[in-house]
Amino acid sequence: MIHCWRLDDARQTLVLGVRDNHLAEAIYWGPRLPDDENLEMLYGAHEIDVTGGMLDVNPELSICPEATRTFPGQPGMVVRDETGKSVLPAFSFESVEQSETALTLTFTDAENGLAYRAHFAIDPQTHLITLWAELEGTRALNLHWLSAPVLPAPQLSDEMIDVAGRWCGEFQINRTPWSAGMRTRENRTGRTGHEHFPGLIVPCRGATNTQGEAYGFHYGWSGGHKMVAEELPDGRRQIQFGNATQVEDEARTLFKTAPLYVTYSNSGLNGCAVAFQRHVRDRLITWPHPERPRPVHYNCWEAIYFDHNLPELKEIATIAAGLGAERFVLDDGWFGERDDDTSSLADWEVDPRKYPDGLTPLIDHVRGLGMVFGIWFEPEMINPDSNIYRAHPEWALGREDQILGRNQLVLNMALPEVREFLFERIGKILADHDIDYVKWDHNRVLPTPDADQTRGTYALLDRLRTAFPDVEIESCASGGGRTDFGILEHTQRVWLSDSNDALERLKIQHNAALFLPQCVTGSHVGPRVCHTSGRVLDIRFRAWVAAQRHMGFEMDPRELTDEEADVLRRVTAWWKANRGWMYHADILRLDAADPAVVAEQHLHEDQFVVFAGKADTSDQISPRPLRFTGLNPDAMYRVDLVNRDEIARVALSRGRSMLKTGAMKVSGRYLMHHGVTLPWSFPETMWVIEGHKI
Ligand code: DGJ
């Protein structure tokens, strides 16, 4: 007996099928199928043959592969009872609930007293499918591993793309060839982590940024994940995503995975990227004031570090406002006796030595300049050298002899009294001051991973947001250590990296655009001499790289020459003039013919801007044409260089490249198939090209 169900949007279809009341299998996931496709026929058609050396029937590659079915790969769950004995489930189909866009399948295992529910929801506008699984027991169970519903990976794919990273080097792309066996990534740091971003893209053969088929996956959880991409001996491939293993401390009767977001694209990696970007922007984020444009940030961290001094801060704020900043963020160092990173975390009271009259004089000054005010916290952390630790050493997670990270310990967020304390302290600062923004940091890994920690943090964030609905929150963890869709359901911005080196940032944010939209991705203009790389970069390059995302400044503005200030003012004004439509734009990564060029096109309806960053010197002597994407081939476009003023600086550009002197009017087809020939340029520069449909 076969039962099948389908979920569709205009671009894709996912078909699930059950035979003989076994667990369901995803029997098809790809381009939208005809409405009258016979799904039972598909179930039969998808089955692979049996030959010598195989079982007599191939075990299903189900949404939760079961060891009891002699599945030849990784099972979808690993559970033990309270005595430590393995529980080996064998589920039977129980019931289905279906609407036009959602499907819940329930399976039970009477012998083991288990119920397994798999949820699927498709979003017809964003093209994301959200999947999650629940496991319920009639008795308490110990969970080692539970995957979100398992999906097959395509066979016509030679490699998988996932994301590694480090402090100041987030979002590095890995390409791993498929081969028999599995690629596992597991983040056991207890936070999303710089090391293993919870995402995967499986391109089909020949796919590039702009063309071909690809499948995208992202696991929306901030406590560390595990991914399994496995090719079975019979050639079938499965993708599993779930919380890192062994992060449930206690036996329980109910476990749930976080949401797994997936999509099929027929427009290259960009099709996946756009689905993720739009879903984050239009579905996951809740803005305190959606009607307000994203304000230009000024963050004082790299200007003053812990050395807070009111007259200086006022002077810096005044200059920042003059450059175009609209939100002033007071970073680490305003509380306890925090003169360096050895003390005071958890002592969330204003330092009277630095602010004898409290924060109000600074906030009033900032507000008087027309800016809003933001402040830094690192709520989950505590220094052993703090009043709160001396009063409550039992609030810290882990053993007393554990290794510290940045001289700090982690608070146990599972304890209600810890959450209560943090709500009260943070709440008091927010209630007593005119604050519209919190930068929420998390600068060390957990002593051991623990899912309750993440749940506790989410609960505190929710409570604070309910109490202070006007306050926006940025997720930071030594830069991009907590960047995922789970945290973005509770916050509105990510501090993508501590690297304000524009050259590094260009690449980091370009890769992050596979998952993140412009409006949540912070990017700041750093100091002339970068503090984390020592590189010296021109203000034009620094400013344009920041203008690709949610723009801000993070240097001592007193270091700027008049010329640098003028450039920064002009680029910031350009950003403000364009931020309205750029908020809605898709970031499309371009297939640059020249590997020295990192280029992307922000496209919204009939308008676009291309940022072509020159990350290196080129092998060939003259620039190769850069192909655009996503345009109407038959429409005419007016294309012009935004920063033509920079040509005068490139004496080595001696030719007649058209954009040097004026706009060009060409068809979408020309732009997408021949591409635009840009003027010659130095490395570490950026051409910015605007386009409008005529
Ligand atoms: C790490 C963050 O990533 C920085 O931006 C800054 O906020 C420091 N922490 C402050 O300690």
Side-chain angles (χ1 to χ4, degrees):
M1 192 55 173
I2 294 170
H3 301 282
C4 289
W5 305 271
R6 61 187 283 173
L7 285 170
D8 302 279
D9 61 28
R11 169 164 110 183
Q12 67 189 327
T13 298
L14 172 66
V15 181
L16 292 142
V18 163
R19 185 204 281 267
D20 299 335
N21 285 338
H22 288 185
L23 270 180
E25 268 186 278
I27 60 163
Y28 174 86
W29 178 29
R32 162 92 195 212
L33 294 173
D35 288 348
D36 58 357
E37 187 83 51
N38 179 329
L39 302 184
E40 284 71 32
M41 183 73 76
L42 280 194
Y43 192 100
H46 104 286
E47 286 202 37
I48 55 170
D49 202 358
V50 172
T51 180
M54 295 175 87
L55 292 169
D56 298 339
V57 173
N58 286 306
E60 294 102 350
L61 198 178
S62 77
I63 53 176
C64 187
E66 294 156 303
T68 45
R69 307 256 183 237
T70 333
F71 181 71
Q74 296 302 303
M77 68 171 73
V78 179
V79 188
R80 291 180 189 279
D81 69 14
E82 275 194 292
T83 69
K85 193 167 170 295
S86 279
V87 177
L88 293 175
F91 286 105
S92 300
F93 177 64
E94 180 74 30
S95 62
V96 56
E97 280 170 58
Q98 187 169 23
S99 69
E100 212 174 307
T101 55
L103 178 70
T104 298
L105 299 173
T106 301
F107 303 84
T108 52
D109 172 350
E111 205 172 302
N112 285 305
L114 299 176
Y116 170 79
R117 278 181 292 276
H119 302 268
F120 305 81
I122 195 161
D123 189 311
Q125 270 85 43
T126 66
H127 301 299
L128 271 202
I129 306 176
T130 307
L131 305 87
W132 72 103
E134 283 171 291
L135 175 67
E136 197 167 357
T138 50
R139 58 195 164 139
L141 301 164
N142 288 300
L143 185 75
H144 178 95
W145 168 243
L146 177 62
S147 174
V150 175
L151 291 171
Q155 295 278 304
L156 190 61
S157 166
D158 299 319
E159 60 180 9
M160 49 193 128
I161 299 174
D162 57 26
V163 183
R166 58 165 165 82
W167 178 71
C168 282
E170 293 82 348
F171 282 91
Q172 301 175 20
I173 297 294
N174 285 316
R175 287 178 181 262
T176 311
W178 280 100
S179 63
M182 64 174 169
R183 173 164 173 77
T184 310
R185 300 198 67 176
E186 181 162 13
N187 191 323
R188 301 202 55 76
T189 65
R191 61 178 186 183
T192 324
H194 296 82
E195 312 80 8
H196 305 286
F197 176 76
L200 173 72
I201 303 222
V202 185
C204 294
R205 187 173 297 159
T208 68
N209 285 319
T210 61
Q211 59 193 14
E213 292 178 294
Y215 292 78
F217 300 78
H218 173 79
Y219 189 66
W221 175 245
S222 315
H225 78 290
K226 176 175 158 180
M227 174 199 92
V228 174
E230 183 177 32
E231 178 163 305
L232 304 176
D234 56 39
R236 290 178 297 174
R237 294 166 172 177
Q238 65 158 333
I239 306 293
Q240 299 191 0
F241 269 96
N243 291 0
T245 52
Q246 286 174 301
V247 293
E248 299 292 351
D249 277 355
E250 286 169 16
R252 293 197 177 139
T253 54
L254 182 64
F255 298 99
K256 240 178 164 180
T257 69
L260 172 64
Y261 301 95
V262 306
T263 190
Y264 159 78
S265 156
N266 55 4
S267 51
L269 273 52
N270 283 339
C272 298
V274 167
F276 287 130
Q277 291 170 19
R278 290 186 184 180
H279 201 83
V280 169
R281 185 190 62 210
D282 301 338
R283 297 290 186 272
L284 298 185
I285 297 276
T286 43
W287 305 106
H289 296 282
E291 72 292 352
R292 283 192 201 156
R294 307 294 288 130
V296 175
H297 276 209
Y298 174 78
N299 181 299
C300 67
W301 176 239
E302 294 202 1
I304 58 160
Y305 293 104
F306 297 102
D307 192 9
H308 292 217
N309 159 319
L310 186 59
E312 252 191 298
L313 278 167
K314 284 185 174 175
E315 186 190 353
I316 288 172
T318 304
I319 303 173
L323 293 167
E326 297 164 308
R327 178 182 274 152
F328 180 95
V329 181
L330 186 68
D331 212 283
D332 195 354
W334 57 267
F335 53 91
E337 293 193 357
R338 180 99 165 151
D339 296 334
D340 55 30
D341 64 13
T342 60
S343 84
S344 302
L345 289 173
D347 293 345
W348 299 115
E349 281 164 340
V350 180
D351 182 346
R353 300 168 310 150
K354 296 178 185 170
Y355 298 95
D357 299 314
L359 292 176
T360 305
L362 177 61
I363 297 178
D364 285 350
H365 179 79
V366 164
R367 298 289 302 177
L369 293 164
M371 291 192 282
V372 288
F373 188 84
I375 194 160
W376 181 94
F377 286 95
E378 195 176 1
E380 295 130 299
M381 299 294 156
I382 185 162
N383 286 114
D385 182 7
S386 66
N387 295 334
I388 299 302
Y389 185 78
R390 283 182 278 274
H392 291 287
E394 76 285 3
W395 283 2
L397 265 184
R399 296 165 58 96
E400 248 180 69
D401 63 354
Q402 67 180 278
I403 302 174
L404 299 185
R406 208 193 189 201
N407 309 300
Q408 63 204 50
L409 295 161
V410 186
L411 284 169
N412 184 349
M413 299 297 289
L415 297 177
E417 58 272 32
V418 167
R419 294 200 301 270
E420 187 59 37
F421 160 78
L422 288 170
F423 178 79
E424 186 263 314
R425 281 292 167 97
I426 297 171
K428 178 148 177 49
I429 296 287
L430 297 182
D432 291 352
H433 301 94
D434 191 355
I435 291 176
D436 96 320
Y437 183 82
V438 165
K439 176 174 173 184
W440 185 296
D441 213 338
H442 187 294
N443 284 305
R444 64 155 287 173
V445 300
L446 305 195
T448 46
D450 177 356
D452 281 338
Q453 187 71 8
T454 309
R455 292 186 198 113
T457 298
Y458 286 170
L460 177 62
L461 277 163
D462 286 347
R463 190 169 168 208
L464 282 165
R465 287 191 56 201
T466 306
F468 302 96
D470 290 336
V471 175
E472 197 176 305
I473 302 177
E474 172 176 55
S475 170
C476 170
S478 303
R482 187 151 62 182
T483 300
D484 66 84
F485 292 8
I487 204 72
L488 281 168
E489 282 195 89
H490 306 273
T491 57
Q492 290 90 357
R493 192 188 206 237
V494 289
W495 182 228
L496 194 60
S497 178
D498 271 355
S499 174
N500 286 321
D501 174 322
L503 185 59
E504 306 278 351
R505 197 76 177 208
L506 176 77
K507 299 172 198 165
I508 296 171
Q509 64 195 23
H510 184 66
N511 291 339
L514 285 170
F515 298 92
L516 299 178
Q518 184 251 20
C519 54
V520 304
T521 312
S523 190
H524 295 174
V525 180
R528 191 181 307 124
V529 182
C530 176
H531 291 192
T532 54
S533 69
R535 222 177 244 129
V536 178
L537 293 166
D538 184 75
I539 187 68
R540 290 158 193 81
F541 187 55
R542 282 183 275 150
W544 283 120
V545 169
Q548 290 183 278
R549 296 294 186 271
H550 182 195
M551 187 173 190
F553 320 142
E554 187 163 344
M555 87 294 268
D556 188 334
R558 294 170 299 184
E559 77 165 30
L560 295 169
T561 63
D562 289 350
E563 197 226 349
E564 286 172 331
D566 182 52
V567 170
L568 189 49
R569 217 173 282 118
R570 279 190 290 118
V571 175
T572 307
W574 177 90
W575 191 81
K576 287 183 181 171
N578 288 279
R579 65 182 154 189
W581 72 267
M582 278 173 67
Y583 172 93
H584 298 283
D586 299 322
I587 304 174
L588 304 170
R589 292 158 35 107
L590 295 178
D591 294 324
D594 181 347
V597 174
V598 177
E600 59 188 39
Q601 178 181 335
H602 296 217
L603 173 68
H604 178 57
E605 295 176 349
D606 294 339
Q607 187 171 6
F608 65 83
V609 59
V610 168
F611 296 96
K614 185 92 180 281
D616 207 341
T617 47
S618 301
D619 289 344
Q620 79 291 344
I621 202 157
S622 194
R624 296 187 197 275
L626 178 64
R627 283 181 174 204
F628 295 178
T629 191
L631 306 177
N632 177 346
D634 298 319
M636 295 299 290
Y637 290 85
R638 183 179 190 280
V639 173
D640 203 0
L641 205 53
V642 176
N643 52 343
R644 182 167 297 114
D645 58 299
E646 294 184 31
I647 290 197
R649 295 170 43 84
V650 199
L652 281 174
S653 164
R654 301 185 296 133
R656 288 183 304 202
S657 161
M658 188 180 234
L659 283 178
K660 287 172 77 172
T661 47
M664 54 166 88
K665 290 178 188 167
V666 289
S667 67
R669 184 165 282 121
Y670 178 85
L671 290 170
M672 293 192 291
H673 292 272
H674 178 276
V676 170
T677 308
L678 292 164
W680 192 93
S681 60
F682 289 129
E684 296 159 6
T685 57
M686 170 96 83
W687 289 129
V688 184
I689 304 121
E690 274 178 336
H692 293 88
K693 191 160 127 194
I694 300 170

